Amino acid sequence: MPSADPESSGAPAEPLVGVLALQGGFDAHARVLRRVGARVREVRVPDDLHGLQGLVIPGGESTTMTLGIARERLKEPLRELIGRGVPVLGSCAGLIMLDRDHLGVMDMRAERNAFGRQIRSFEADLHIAGLEGGPLRAIFIRAPWIAEHGDRVEVLASIDGHPVAARQGAILAVAFHSELSGDDRLHEWLLARAAECDTRR
Ligand code: GLN
């Protein structure tokens, strides 16, 4: 038996999804992605982006993540990948990274620590527009919200009138951690789009 290299075999492979792994909660996302049937690659340098059919930007500290992206010269390669329509899920600090002031791929401005610092860590059952199967268990940890957005951004969920989940094309940004609640539907959403994503373009 030849040793199977899943990245080069002709077999219909599971979608290859990257997780930005410079800092923060990338490991929990990788576990959920594997659970829903993705091949996972941790992304630390631009070469790691080749052939990805989807990407997760995890929570963490957006300032540290921004420094890491600059250090590894990942900003333009990430913008190029997302600009090609490769589906993305950004969670918490990942939502911040997607906004106008960071990667600039989503027409919105995130407000960091918008619920207050430590005391406003909380859980909620959130109704997400378009997501079947009832409310999603969402864990907010020093979470941002979307302070302002353009027409292309579709708000999917809000708390007290503040958007905490939104979509722009194939980009899904959520202010909370769904990778910690055992509810895998957002990762399944990403995987379904990743499976349709043709990397040969
Ligand atoms: N407060 C963090 C930031 O501003 C985000 C917190 C998180 O990702 N859990 O970067």
Side-chain angles (χ1 to χ4, degrees):
M1 282 276 286
S3 68
D5 174 359
E7 289 195 23
S8 66
S9 80
E14 295 160 326
L16 178 62
V17 178
V19 183
L20 188 64
L22 297 171
Q23 186 267 336
F26 54 88
D27 214 40
H29 281 284
R31 274 197 299 275
V32 179
L33 286 167
R34 289 194 186 97
R35 188 158 73 215
V36 300
R39 288 177 294 141
V40 178
R41 184 192 291 157
E42 293 183 356
V43 171
R44 294 194 172 81
V45 294
D47 272 354
D48 296 335
L49 297 173
H50 287 304
L52 291 188
Q53 291 163 276
L55 179 73
V56 171
I57 306 182
E61 235 6 277
S62 54
T63 44
T64 313
M65 221 179 281
T66 301
L67 291 173
I69 286 172
R71 184 188 66 230
E72 302 300 337
R73 296 188 165 81
L74 269 162
K75 183 170 178 177
E76 283 314 313
L78 283 168
R79 283 172 48 78
E80 194 272 331
L81 181 89
I82 299 167
R84 268 193 286 129
V86 171
V88 185
L89 170 63
S91 162
C92 202
L95 174 148
I96 298 169
M97 300 315 302
L98 294 165
D99 88 350
R100 291 178 194 137
D101 297 334
H102 294 83
L103 291 174
V105 291
M106 218 172 155
D107 188 17
M108 54 101 174
R109 187 176 63 76
E111 171 104 11
R112 294 184 62 202
N113 301 311
F115 291 94
R117 278 191 168 270
Q118 297 298 354
I119 42 161
R120 289 308 302 271
S121 292
F122 58 96
E123 297 189 24
D125 288 316
L126 265 192
H127 175 77
I128 311 238
L131 191 71
E132 285 172 19
L136 183 93
R137 191 75 182 157
I139 302 177
F140 292 79
I141 305 169
R142 293 176 296 115
W145 64 45
I146 295 173
E148 192 218 317
H149 64 86
D151 295 343
R152 287 174 296 163
V153 173
E154 182 191 355
V155 173
L156 305 178
S158 299
I159 288 189
D160 298 338
H162 302 290
V164 292
R167 176 177 170 182
Q168 180 178 324
I171 307 173
L172 179 60
V174 298
F176 49 84
H177 296 262
S178 68
E179 78 283 6
L180 300 175
S181 66
D183 189 328
D184 297 344
R185 282 178 286 163
L186 298 187
H187 294 79
E188 284 166 356
W189 178 94
L190 184 72
L191 201 72
R193 267 140 207 89
E196 294 164 4
C197 182
D198 184 353
T199 57
R200 289 162 298 187
R201 276 179 302 160

